[in-house]
Amino acid sequence: QVQLVESGGGLVQAGDSLRLSCTASGLIFSRYVMAWFRQVPGKEREFVAVISGGSSVKFHADSVKGRFTISRDNAENTVYLQMNSLKPEDTALYYCAARNGLIKKAASDYGDWGQGTQVTVSS
């Protein structure tokens, strides 16, 4: 059974940085596409970033491009989201997700999810 556990969220001020981590178990990690999504109450879950199993392909949402960077360490079964220059509009519950297949950006294409970690950015 796939388990994903996120960590690293918190309360920060605008302009600060945070690094989120998601550690996976129950899967051959290097074979899985890993992604980050975020969600605020009353809104759809929003794509943030995705990375291929071997890290050769990465995509970031336009809203975070140049500020957030996704990376992974297959030896540690962990995917990261480095978030710099945080803005109040980045406030959300951040989820990591895994899929065994092609890179996708829609939440509906992912079957395995973590419990989420809250990021709150004050102005």
Side-chain angles (χ1 to χ4, degrees):
Q1 183 176 353
V2 175
Q3 282 196 310
L4 304 174
V5 179
E6 301 98 334
S7 61
L11 171 62
V12 296
Q13 292 189 328
D16 285 351
S17 298
L18 276 176
R19 188 176 81 156
L20 305 184
S21 300
C22 171
T23 300
S25 59
L27 74 171
I28 301 175
F29 186 69
S30 60
R31 294 184 182 178
Y32 277 69
V33 167
M34 299 298 297
W36 288 96
F37 290 82
R38 64 188 182 187
Q39 190 170 26
V40 297
K43 291 195 174 181
E44 299 269 323
R45 199 164 290 191
E46 176 191 20
F47 167 76
V48 176
V50 62
I51 187 168
S52 62
S55 300
S56 59
V57 180
K58 304 177 187 181
F59 293 105
H60 297 81
D62 287 344
S63 59
V64 307
K65 205 169 288 183
R67 300 187 299 121
F68 292 10
T69 303
I70 191 170
S71 63
R72 65 191 294 161
D73 183 340
N74 286 347
E76 297 293 329
N77 279 18
T78 300
V79 61
Y80 303 99
L81 185 68
Q82 178 66 43
M83 306 187 296
N84 299 329
S85 303
L86 282 160
K87 303 176 181 180
E89 51 263 46
D90 295 318
T91 295
L93 188 59
Y94 283 72
Y95 296 92
C96 74
R99 78 183 308 270
N100 187 359
L102 298 177
I103 281 190
K104 298 288 186 181
K105 298 180 184 178
S108 57
D109 288 316
Y110 289 80
D112 296 299
W113 293 85
Q115 80 291 346
T117 186
Q118 179 67 38
V119 172
T120 303
V121 184
S122 63
S123 56

